Amino acid sequence: MREEEYLQSLHFNSLRLEDGSIVNMSLPIVLAIDDATKEAIGESPDVALAGQGGDLVAILRRVQIFKHNKEERIARTWGTTAPGLPYVEKAIDPAGDWLIGGDLELLEPIKYNDGLDHYRLTPAELRAEFDRRGADAVFAFQLRNPVHNGHALLMNDTRRRLLDLGFKNPLLLLHPWGFHQTGRRSLGRSDGAAQEGEFHFKIKSFVLEDGVLDPETTIVAIFPSPMHYAGPTEVQWHAKARINAGANFYIVGRDPAGMGHPLEKRDLYDPDHGKKVLSMAPGLEKLNILPFKVAAYDTAQGKMAFFDPSRAKDFLFISGTKKRREPPSGFMCPGGWEVLVNYYKSLQAKEADQKPAPVAV
């Protein structure tokens, strides 16, 4: 983004196009540079962008360089400048003090050659696939956590509801984020993010292979965006990106893109504000918001089911900690559970290796 677009995004959560129409854009898309890079660019109108290996991947034309006011950006995006915001610590604080924007010309699709490139579908490719499959409705669901049978219950129930509304072929876009949760690196890099990304997509593969979700009515693709944990501001970006990809229905739960306050024992955002903001955000009028039904393990039926307050004692909410132990039958498909167990074992082994050796005194 150039400065005018950046300020519109930061202060209005939207962009006004040349024809006067409004496009939702709640998170600025920017590239930070340091003083040395700014000096090296000088008065050059065009700048080459290189990949991690040094290969030329794109050209930024008719560039504009402007000040990166980090405090303003953080305050407007998160509503706080409290220390401890993961994305801020990893991606903004260490970034340069200048932003460079321009017209981006991609020279060729970027490949990571990690076995996941076939999941990296562009919005145009996703829309083409929905057309090829004859979709008359597309509903999107974003996951931060591994898919379990409760998620599948919700997604299958959503398709049933759309069929009841008269749609003939509603398709699911299962579109998990494709960056490490801190926003530091994308799937495919040779670090913990790559391992985490592979783990998530292995589980999703088993969910399809085991028939928990129907491969004929489900499209899995990487959502190439870091998690900011910026609450109602970020959830607009999540929804807008899915509209670009062809979705017209969006499943929203409590506290989407939220997090705990970094300094206090409370949520940073009101859990209901994300859903409310989506229903009235400029530029998202065409998106149909579907409320997230709460699913939990029904001990009476021995499977995941929608929570029934009238018999709350029969339901078990399985936390991330409990997932590390053997879950009850019916919580997750066997193949996905095996991947989950192996992943946590690898994390425990890595933590053990990183512990400092005891010092004799």
Side-chain angles (χ1 to χ4, degrees), residues 68-316:
H68 185 191
N69 187 334
K70 297 180 184 180
E71 185 176 19
E72 179 188 28
R73 179 182 174 190
I74 295 165
R76 296 293 305 185
T77 303
W78 281 270
T80 180
T81 55
L85 299 170
Y87 185 86
V88 171
E89 290 186 339
K90 296 293 183 180
I92 296 182
D93 285 345
D97 292 330
W98 304 93
L99 297 175
I100 182 169
D103 300 322
L104 185 64
E105 178 186 340
L106 184 67
L107 300 180
E108 60 181 30
I110 296 173
K111 301 292 184 181
Y112 292 91
N113 301 313
D114 58 355
L116 296 175
D117 281 331
H118 63 287
Y119 286 117
R120 295 186 175 93
L121 301 176
T122 67
E125 289 171 332
L126 284 169
R127 291 194 300 269
E129 180 62 17
F130 294 136
D131 289 341
R132 188 187 71 79
R133 296 197 192 191
D136 57 355
V138 176
F139 60 105
F141 188 52
Q142 174 177 298
L143 282 171
R144 288 191 270 178
N145 300 311
V147 180
H148 57 62
N149 289 355
H151 297 132
L153 175 68
L154 172 64
M155 290 181 272
N156 287 326
D157 181 71
T158 299
R159 187 170 194 275
R160 178 194 60 77
R161 289 162 58 195
L162 292 175
L163 289 170
D164 290 344
L165 288 173
F167 293 100
K168 302 301 181 184
N169 188 28
L171 297 185
L172 164 65
L173 172 59
L174 188 55
H175 211 202
W177 47 263
F179 278 69
H180 191 273
Q181 64 179 2
T182 60
R184 182 167 55 95
R185 293 181 181 272
S186 64
L187 290 182
R189 303 297 175 87
S190 56
D191 60 3
Q195 182 186 12
E196 184 172 356
E198 183 180 4
F199 141 73
H200 275 280
F201 276 84
K202 279 184 178 178
I203 289 180
K204 288 167 179 62
S205 295
F206 277 111
V207 165
L208 296 175
E209 292 171 10
D210 290 359
V212 179
L213 293 173
D214 184 358
E216 295 300 317
T217 59
T218 304
I219 295 176
V220 181
I222 289 174
F223 178 42
S225 179
M227 279 297 299
H228 288 57
Y229 296 100
T233 298
E234 182 177 12
V235 77
Q236 295 175 67
W237 160 246
H238 291 170
K240 168 61 166 57
R242 277 36 183 266
I243 292 175
N244 285 359
N248 50 358
F249 290 88
Y250 189 63
I251 302 172
V252 181
R254 283 174 58 82
D255 200 21
M259 60 173 284
H261 193 284
L263 299 179
E264 304 172 15
K265 292 184 177 180
R266 62 178 177 86
D267 290 334
L268 184 55
Y269 309 104
D270 186 299
D272 293 323
H273 280 184
K275 181 170 57 180
K276 290 179 179 178
V277 165
L278 281 186
S279 68
M280 52 189 173
L284 299 182
E285 293 84 2
K286 294 182 179 180
L287 190 67
N288 300 283
I289 306 302
L290 300 172
F292 188 109
K293 292 184 178 180
V294 178
Y297 187 76
D298 188 340
T299 58
Q301 299 186 52
K303 64 178 184 179
M304 298 297 289
F306 291 123
F307 179 68
D308 182 355
S310 67
R311 52 185 189 90
K313 61 181 178 58
D314 292 334
F315 287 88
L316 176 66

